[in-house]
Amino acid sequence: MKIAFLILASLLSGVMVVEAGAQSPNKWPDRPVKLIVPFAPGGSTDIVARLIGARLTAEYGQQFIIENRPGAGGTIGAEQAVKANPDGYTFAVVPSSYVTNSALYKLRYHPSKDIASVGQIVSYPVILVTHPAVPAANLKELVELVRSKPSVFNIGSPGTGSSPHLVAELFQQRSGTKFVHVPYKGDAPALSDLLAGQIQALFVSGSVAMPHLKSGKLRALGVSTVDRSSALPETPAIGEVVPGFSASIWIGMFAPAGTPREIVQKVNQSLGRYLKNPELQERLRSDGTEPAYSTPEDFEKLIDREVKMWAEVVHLGNISIN
């Protein structure tokens, strides 16, 4: 009996040690936290991550360190985040290409089942712009023109499988139009050829297009989001003319699946406070994005919905990046 008692005491002691060593959400964070960005520094996702990381650092008194892990369209960094220890010390800040990648790459993780959604941070439309020489003064006329002359007009993109490419493909599928897709290596060369009249149309962000829209060198015919953009209130949402069309580019945050729910909720609530701050709102809008706070549950639903939508778009468009 004495031996049995000693064994039991030893086991209980071990359990107490394990429990004492576990991370308590109330004490989190007690060391630096990693924010993985699956792209190189300087892009939209990196900028948003640094803005949010600075505020998390100030609030919690621990460094939220940006770790850029570019490569393979963002899948390398995303996989690193998915497979990290779910202890609340690794998060990822990702753009909407995170979900389109599931239709383009053979991933070693599931984009929704293997993560703990934290929340959406920002969203923004892409704008359908055309060269002024295109004989269509509005979106309705463009749709009618391209339907009457399929595979005559060129639409550019910053690359095959990029978000603007997939938005363009979705537009064609919903509108019954057929452009010739011309992929480039980035926005700059695509925009240059559009300005020169080498291609006729392009989906592009407002921050890139706005100077040329103001100068009259390009024409904005529609925005991709459900609602009109505050930056272009006279430009219709494409869905006003093409039923069933809507697409936005977004940036959000997730943690590895199994991250304590209390920690996920803490970070989500912090995001909610930050995105109500007028100074941060102005800073985000200066980069062409709109604050777009969501609950973890709503962000999870968005990811699930878009994984299915873009898989269908890629399948119907027979799109391959190989």
Side-chain angles (χ1 to χ4, degrees):
M1 289 182 65
K2 186 175 181 180
I3 293 174
F5 175 78
L6 291 173
I7 292 173
L8 179 59
S10 177
L11 290 172
L12 289 173
S13 176
V15 169
M16 291 173 67
V17 168
V18 169
E19 290 181 346
Q23 173 65 57
S24 169
N26 293 328
K27 296 179 180 179
W28 177 91
D30 59 7
R31 63 181 189 272
V33 180
K34 185 187 301 182
L35 289 181
I36 294 176
V37 176
F39 295 96
S44 297
T45 307
D46 181 70
I47 291 170
V48 169
R50 291 178 189 278
L51 288 171
I52 295 301
R55 283 160 175 79
L56 288 167
T57 295
E59 178 176 354
Y60 291 105
Q62 291 288 344
Q63 285 292 320
F64 281 70
I65 301 169
I66 306 298
E67 186 171 299
N68 297 94
R69 291 287 180 175
T75 61
I76 291 175
E79 181 177 352
Q80 183 183 24
V82 165
K83 295 185 176 180
N85 186 356
D87 57 1
Y89 288 89
T90 301
F91 292 84
V93 178
V94 297
S96 49
S97 59
Y98 171 77
V99 292
T100 61
N101 282 342
S102 66
L104 296 166
Y105 294 87
K106 292 182 179 179
L107 303 178
R108 293 183 293 186
Y109 57 88
H110 192 282
S112 60
K113 294 178 181 177
D114 292 340
I115 67 168
S117 300
V118 177
Q120 190 175 347
I121 303 172
V122 300
S123 69
Y124 56 96
V126 282
I127 306 168
L128 176 56
V129 296
T130 59
H131 190 275
V134 175
N138 56 54
L139 184 59
K140 184 174 182 294
E141 290 181 5
L142 179 70
V143 170
E144 291 172 350
L145 175 66
V146 180
R147 280 177 180 170
S148 69
K149 297 180 178 181
S151 300
V152 170
F153 297 96
N154 298 325
I155 189 165
S157 82
T160 300
S162 63
S163 292
H165 173 210
L166 297 186
V167 171
E169 181 62 36
L170 177 65
F171 172 73
Q172 293 174 87
Q173 292 175 12
R174 296 287 192 267
S175 65
T177 56
K178 182 63 177 176
F179 288 84
V180 177
H181 174 230
V182 183
Y184 292 84
K185 293 183 178 180
D187 283 320
L191 184 65
S192 178
D193 268 11
L194 178 62
L195 290 167
Q198 299 300 312
I199 59 175
Q200 287 72 52
L202 182 68
F203 276 96
V204 68
S205 68
S207 59
V208 173
M210 202 60 71
H212 306 291
L213 297 175
K214 290 179 179 178
S215 68
K217 293 180 180 179
L218 296 177
R219 181 184 294 153
L221 296 190
V223 297
S224 66
T225 40
V226 173
D227 301 314
R228 296 190 179 201
S229 168
S230 58
L232 293 167
E234 301 302 317
T235 303
I238 292 173
E240 295 176 29
V241 177
V242 180
F245 178 93
S246 70
S248 64
I249 310 299
W250 49 258
I251 296 172
M253 182 184 290
F254 73 78
T259 299
R261 190 67 179 168
E262 296 89 343
I263 293 176
V264 168
Q265 289 289 357
K266 265 189 174 184
V267 176
N268 175 268
Q269 289 164 10
S270 295
L271 291 179
R273 289 193 298 275
Y274 306 156
L275 294 173
K276 291 179 182 177
N277 181 281
E279 181 184 346
L280 181 59
Q281 289 179 347
E282 183 179 352
R283 176 68 179 82
L284 292 170
R285 286 172 179 145
S286 70
D287 289 326
T289 64
E290 284 288 332
Y293 167 77
S294 75
T295 64
E297 293 77 16
D298 285 343
F299 188 44
E300 183 177 354
K301 290 175 184 176
L302 173 67
I303 291 173
D304 281 335
R305 184 168 65 248
E306 293 204 352
V307 164
K308 295 172 185 176
M309 180 181 79
W310 293 119
E312 181 181 6
V313 169
V314 168
H315 174 72
L316 292 176
N318 194 29
I319 298 169
S320 173
I321 57 173
N322 297 324

